[in-house]
């Protein structure tokens, strides 16, 4: 690569575009290998999905989106604007092309291939969070058991069997609870909940707090974080140039684009895998009784996480353009689906309503790697950007510094042919 120097031949300087969990993790692991880093973001640290998500680091429950069941749900959702998976009926050729390709990849074989590839990130998720916290990222990471709650006890048993299909090297302890044990484990479960699958060995964080702590650690290690709207990233003799609207261009040996749902707007010319914004909603709500750990309501596709003095409630997958406004009907749909299943939640006092865009690929695997001389991308994690962000950062930093794509990273090649 032009512009490389140093004992290992890697770059001395890198510009990372994007100050979410993926971009900042990449910056941190590059610094860990002795690289000087500048981070640029159009609005600031954790301004997107890294703030408003459910905060789960849950490798046992992290599976690709492109499953046959999601395709079936999506077809039903076309006629139901309140469905957890919402696809607006309107003329949008970009979305239509993405959905056709996504549907073609919702086959068992493609899903299984994506699950095997993503297992690399799942297997390293907990350990890479440990590395960050042990080396100065000052934010709590809470060990937990995640309660997956069902109305139908038979569906809980089937779900437990399904978990065995997607497990990597870290096997969680899984227990099916009912009756008094269920109420003790999930004190806000309503009488409609018949069974809970308790999945141990998982974690959760306050995502905004953790990402800001990671940003502070990156700055303390010598990086600069700038606010600016990056217009172009391109290779030039001796390195790369990052052009910032109303500002001087930045020059470095290499650059990483980690801008979430906006990734392809900066560098989509050669990426063959389709990527689209899958928007999620969240809000905070007070509760009458404290909750010891997160709850997932799979029938409603709603995740609830202990958050400050109450809960953060997150849900829905909405295929709209990332710049569109919050649609209150989607918040109301989350409440309508979750309220019958939980007692002691003061839904009318909800606040901090949020919508943000997750970058969803059409084949269920993220985009991690090189796209041109000195230019790299990291994104496309869908709902799992927080959980996979640190592992992605370490994987990409290794490739940038060594110039070699590891076997583990090959499935995530942004220039892969499908």
């Amino acid at each position: 690569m032009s512009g490389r120097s140093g004992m290992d031949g890697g770059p001395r300087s890198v510009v990372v575009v994007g100050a979410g969990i993926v971009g900042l993790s990449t910056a941190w692991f590059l610094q860990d290998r002795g690289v000087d880093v500048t981070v640029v973001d159009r609005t600031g640290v954790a301004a997107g999905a890294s703030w408003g998500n459910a905060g789960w680091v849950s490798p046992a429950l992290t599976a690709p989106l492109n499953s046959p069941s999601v395709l079936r749900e999506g077809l039903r959702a076309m006629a139901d604007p309140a469905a957890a998976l919402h696809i607006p009926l309107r003329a949008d050729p970009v979305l239509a092309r993405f959905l056709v390709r996504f549907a073609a990849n919702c086959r068992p074989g493609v899903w299984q291939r994506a699950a095997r590839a993503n297992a690399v990130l799942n297997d390293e998720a907990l350990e890479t969070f440990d590395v960050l916290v042990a080396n100065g990222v000052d934010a709590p990471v809470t060990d937990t058991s995640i309660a997956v709650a069902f109305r139908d006890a038979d569906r809980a048993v089937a779900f437990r069997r399904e978990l065995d299909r997607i497990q990597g090297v870290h096997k969680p302890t899984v227990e099916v609870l009912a009756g008094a044990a269920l109420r003790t484990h999930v004190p806000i479960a309503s009488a409609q909940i018949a069974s809970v699958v308790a999945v141990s060995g998982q974690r959760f964080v306050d995502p905004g707090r953790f990402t800001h702590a990671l940003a502070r650690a990156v700055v303390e290690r010598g990086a600069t974080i700038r606010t600016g709207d990056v217009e172009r990233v391109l290779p030039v003799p001796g390195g790369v140039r990052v052009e910032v609207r109303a500002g001087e261009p930045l020059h470095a040996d290499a650059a990483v684009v980690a801008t979430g749902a906006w990734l392809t707007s900066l560098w989509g010319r050669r990426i063959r895998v389709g990527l689209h914004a899958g928007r999620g909603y969240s809000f905070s709500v007070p509760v009458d009784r404290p909750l010891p750990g997160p709850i997932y309501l799979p029938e409603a596709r709603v995740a609830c996480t202990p958050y400050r003095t109450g809960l953060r409630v997150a849900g829905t997958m909405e295929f709209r353009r990332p710049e569109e406004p919050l649609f209150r009907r989607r918040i109301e749909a989350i409440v309508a689906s979750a309220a019958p299943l939980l007692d002691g939640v003061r839904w009318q006092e909800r606040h901090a309503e949020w919508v943000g865009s997750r970058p969803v690929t059409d084949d269920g695997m993220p985009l991690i790697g090189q796209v041109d001389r000195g230019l790299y991308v990291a994104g496309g994690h869908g709902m799992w950007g927080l959980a996979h962000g640190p592992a992605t950062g370490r994987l990409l930093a290794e490739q940038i510094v060594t110039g070699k794509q590891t076997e583990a990273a090959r499935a995530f090649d942004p220039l892969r042919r499908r």
Side-chain angles (χ1 to χ4, degrees), residues 161-203:
R161 289 197 298 267
E162 181 69 17
L163 281 179
D164 293 335
R165 295 179 55 212
I166 62 174
Q167 294 311 308
V169 298
H170 303 295
K171 301 285 186 183
T173 300
V174 179
E175 186 178 7
V176 179
L177 305 175
L182 184 161
R183 308 300 158 191
T184 299
H185 194 77
V186 187
I188 66 172
S190 79
Q192 292 195 28
I193 298 297
S195 189
V196 160
V197 180
V199 184
S200 69
Q202 311 305 295
R203 296 180 182 173

Side-chain angles (χ1 to χ4, degrees), residues 11-271:
R12 290 188 181 275
S13 60
V14 174
V15 174
V16 176
V17 185
I21 187 72
V22 175
L24 290 169
S25 295
T26 305
W28 195 95
F29 282 103
L30 284 168
Q31 290 176 310
D32 207 45
R33 288 174 169 268
V35 178
D36 292 330
V37 177
T38 299
V39 180
V40 186
D41 192 279
R42 63 194 182 100
T43 48
V45 173
S50 292
W51 184 87
N53 65 78
W56 293 9
V57 185
S58 53
L61 301 176
T62 302
L65 186 63
N66 60 314
S67 70
S69 63
V70 168
L71 178 59
R72 291 191 296 271
E73 182 180 346
L75 293 173
R76 291 193 299 269
M78 298 289 284
D80 182 6
L85 176 59
H86 179 53
I87 303 170
L89 290 172
R90 64 184 184 189
D92 186 338
V94 173
L95 176 58
R97 285 194 297 271
F98 171 82
L99 291 174
V100 167
R101 294 165 67 173
F102 181 84
N105 285 318
C106 287
R107 304 191 307 273
V110 179
W111 183 89
Q112 289 163 7
R113 184 165 65 247
R116 288 193 298 270
N118 289 340
V120 172
L121 301 176
N122 282 339
D123 291 344
E124 296 189 5
L126 301 180
E127 190 244 334
T128 47
F129 270 85
D130 287 341
V131 169
L132 294 176
V133 172
N135 289 278
V137 177
D138 186 15
V141 179
T142 304
D143 293 320
T144 193
S145 171
I146 293 180
V148 186
F150 293 88
R151 285 187 171 100
D152 184 339
D154 290 339
R155 293 191 67 179
V157 173
F159 176 78
R160 181 176 182 174
R161 289 197 298 267
E162 181 69 17
L163 281 179
D164 293 335
R165 295 179 55 212
I166 62 174
Q167 294 311 308
V169 298
H170 303 295
K171 301 285 186 183
T173 300
V174 179
E175 186 178 7
V176 179
L177 305 175
L182 184 161
R183 308 300 158 191
T184 299
H185 194 77
V186 187
I188 66 172
S190 79
Q192 292 195 28
I193 298 297
S195 189
V196 160
V197 180
V199 184
S200 69
Q202 311 305 295
R203 296 180 182 173
F204 70 91
V205 301
D206 176 333
R209 180 177 177 182
F210 188 91
T211 306
H212 277 277
L214 177 57
R216 288 193 298 273
V218 167
V219 170
E220 288 167 1
R221 289 155 67 96
T224 299
I225 298 180
R226 295 181 44 174
T227 301
D229 189 0
V230 173
E231 295 184 308
R232 286 205 305 170
V233 183
L234 63 161
V236 295
V240 300
R241 183 170 74 243
V242 178
E243 298 180 355
V244 183
R245 187 190 304 272
E248 293 295 319
L250 302 173
H251 293 85
D253 296 332
V256 175
V257 176
T259 51
W262 289 267
L263 188 150
T264 53
S265 65
L266 273 181
W267 196 256
R269 295 185 297 277
R270 294 177 59 191
I271 294 174

